Amino acid sequence: MKRYFFKTLFLSWLFLFGFVAAHAQSENLGAIRSAMRNGSSRELSQYLAPTVEVGFDGDKKGYNATQAELVIKDFFAKNAPSAFEFIHQGESKEGIQYGIGRYTGRNGVYRVYVKLKPSKGAPQIDTLDFTKE
């Protein structure tokens, strides 16, 4: 009886931990999704790591958070969003979250790859890559 109780308790904790981790992941990517839908570099900048790799059609460069916000703001100005959705999201074994989305803008449709870097607070955007489809 004691063994059954501990197994049940252990499985309950595992289930609860998995639920909390999945909720936290979807919460982070949900805020990023909202910022992308709105075409708001300011909203998105709240989730940027101190250094960010931003890429457009294979041309990737490293920026500090302020520079990255300006580059993204310029992209949004030239390609105002009409829609954005994550089509896939997940987490690596090392705890690195990522999302792959579809950004529909004025000048076409882009595949967007977002990689979140673990930090002491909430995970931060480490990589943001736009590739025209």
Side-chain angles (χ1 to χ4, degrees), residues 7-23:
K7 281 184 179 180
T8 304
L9 183 63
F10 178 73
L11 289 174
S12 298
W13 277 105
L14 279 178
F15 177 75
L16 182 62
F17 178 73
F19 176 76
V20 170
H23 179 67

Side-chain angles (χ1 to χ4, degrees), residues 21-66:
H23 179 67
Q25 176 182 343
S26 65
E27 187 175 301
N28 294 329
L29 291 175
I32 293 168
R33 180 183 62 225
S34 175
M36 296 285 282
R37 277 184 182 167
N38 296 332
S40 175
S41 60
R42 176 166 282 202
E43 279 181 53
L44 197 58
S45 71
Q46 296 175 29
Y47 305 99
L48 297 176
T51 57
V52 184
E53 184 178 272
V54 180
F56 298 99
D57 292 323
D59 183 24
K60 297 179 183 179
K61 293 184 182 176
Y63 299 98
N64 67 39
T66 305

Side-chain angles (χ1 to χ4, degrees), residues 77-97:
K78 292 177 182 175
N79 299 290
S82 60
F84 179 78
E85 282 299 324
F86 279 112
I87 53 177
H88 179 74
Q89 50 190 334
E91 185 173 327
S92 72
K93 293 178 184 178
E94 294 80 27
I96 296 172
Q97 297 176 17

